[in-house]
Amino acid sequence: MEALKFSTRKLTNNLGIIYSMRIKITGSSGFVGGLLCRVLETQTENRYDILDANNPMDIRNESVTDSICQSCDVIVHLAEISGLKACDENKDKAFDVNTRATITLAEKAKKAGAKRFIFASSSAVYGEAQQYKMDESHPTEPRSIYGHTKLDAEIPIKKLASKDFEVIILRKSNLYGYGLVWKGITVIDKFIEAIFTNKPMQISGDGSQRRDFLHVIDAVNVYKKIANSPRVRSGVYNLGGGEAPSIRELAEMVNDSAEAILGKR
């Protein structure tokens, strides 16, 4: 279940005038959103469960997106069908939530007078690496439904950016860390689970493939800074950890940590 929360932050502009930045967060009960609400001291009122098709507050409902956009300066849009497997198993729902609902929310936010829309995209939009350094100019050729849902949302909402409506798209890499909820679907999660269940770690192929990883706290700090800034340049930004260990190296790191902390590998 995902939720929406509301936060008001007092800031000072370049004229020394104190004003309130009204921030709303979708997906506020999720892996990133839960921690972000805590660091922003987001109030619990105006909370909605928005990814349950049987719930009247589903984000795909027009009334819900209308409510989100009312009296709002910044929307941090984290709500999504997350992960490759979940999107493969629920393709229609994935496009409904990750793509169509995102576009609708961004359009309504601009129309309602919001100042900023921050969209949690993914490095999955790139597909396979075609160059060693995968910067924002890297070709976007997603190989997963999840990547397509994100890219298909990016393209139209980028066009909404203007002087009065900032659109910030963050292409996050692979998240890890201890949040308020257990994600349980990442390769690091699977390695840790193997340690605690005394099972061998499963590695696809020879383990030489490399991935960038980002700690959830680092991601939260970036979202916090962007949400609270008086002005932000619209654009697409990679959000990663800056290191890309191989999967086999990652397994060794987890093994070494388990041996140091638990006395077993």
Side-chain angles (χ1 to χ4, degrees), residues 24 51 54 191 225 238:
K24 289 190 178 181
L51 292 187
N54 298 317
F191 286 166
K225 186 170 184 178
N238 284 343

Side-chain angles (χ1 to χ4, degrees), residues 22-255:
R22 299 164 298 180
I23 303 169
K24 289 190 178 181
I25 303 169
T26 72
S28 61
S29 63
F31 187 56
V32 176
L35 286 175
L36 181 59
C37 286
R38 178 168 291 187
V39 300
L40 289 178
E41 299 176 353
T42 308
Q43 301 300 309
T44 56
E45 61 262 24
N46 300 316
R47 181 187 300 187
Y48 304 94
D49 292 322
I50 57 180
L51 292 187
D52 183 350
N54 298 317
N55 192 311
M57 301 313 297
D58 192 294
I59 194 174
R60 291 167 288 180
N61 293 343
E62 293 287 323
S63 60
V64 176
T65 49
D66 288 341
S67 176
I68 294 171
C69 296
Q70 288 176 1
S71 303
C72 181
D73 296 312
V74 177
I75 294 175
V76 183
H77 183 44
L78 304 173
E80 63 173 10
I81 303 298
S82 178
L84 306 183
K85 183 178 179 181
C87 289
D88 288 344
E89 294 176 348
N90 301 277
K91 180 178 178 180
D92 291 341
K93 185 177 181 180
F95 277 101
D96 276 347
V97 174
N98 295 1
T99 306
R100 287 182 279 273
T102 297
I103 297 168
T104 298
L105 184 59
E107 291 173 342
K108 287 189 174 183
K110 181 175 183 177
K111 187 175 181 180
K115 297 179 176 65
R116 184 174 307 146
F117 188 84
I118 305 169
F119 174 49
S121 187
S122 168
S123 59
V125 302
Y126 294 123
E128 290 298 316
Q130 299 182 27
Q131 57 197 47
Y132 178 74
K133 184 178 180 181
M134 295 180 68
D135 60 18
E136 292 83 353
S137 65
H138 187 282
T140 50
E141 299 176 1
R143 299 186 63 183
S144 65
I145 291 173
Y146 178 66
H148 278 289
T149 66
K150 291 296 187 177
L151 184 61
D152 289 356
E154 281 190 16
I155 294 170
I157 68 172
K158 279 193 293 187
K159 298 176 182 178
L160 297 174
S162 67
K163 177 175 65 69
D164 300 315
F165 186 65
E166 300 161 352
V167 177
I168 296 89
I169 297 171
L170 298 178
R171 292 173 175 168
K172 63 186 183 299
S173 65
N174 301 279
L175 292 174
Y176 74 99
Y178 182 77
L180 299 183
V181 296
W182 172 247
K183 197 168 186 182
I185 61 174
T186 70
V187 63
I188 295 178
D189 294 340
K190 296 300 184 184
F191 286 166
I192 293 174
E193 183 179 4
I195 292 289
F196 281 102
T197 56
N198 296 311
K199 295 180 180 179
M201 294 181 181
Q202 301 295 321
I203 297 177
S204 299
D206 62 3
S208 63
Q209 60 270 37
R210 294 185 176 274
R211 298 289 184 270
D212 183 276
F213 292 90
L214 174 69
H215 197 279
V216 63
I217 295 297
D218 293 327
V220 164
N221 286 334
V222 171
Y223 281 111
K224 176 186 176 182
K225 186 170 184 178
I226 295 175
N228 279 328
S229 296
R231 295 288 296 178
V232 182
R233 185 190 298 272
S234 293
V236 177
Y237 302 94
N238 284 343
L239 183 55
E243 297 181 6
S246 72
I247 300 302
R248 183 164 295 280
E249 289 170 344
L250 187 64
E252 285 300 317
M253 292 180 197
V254 174
N255 264 326

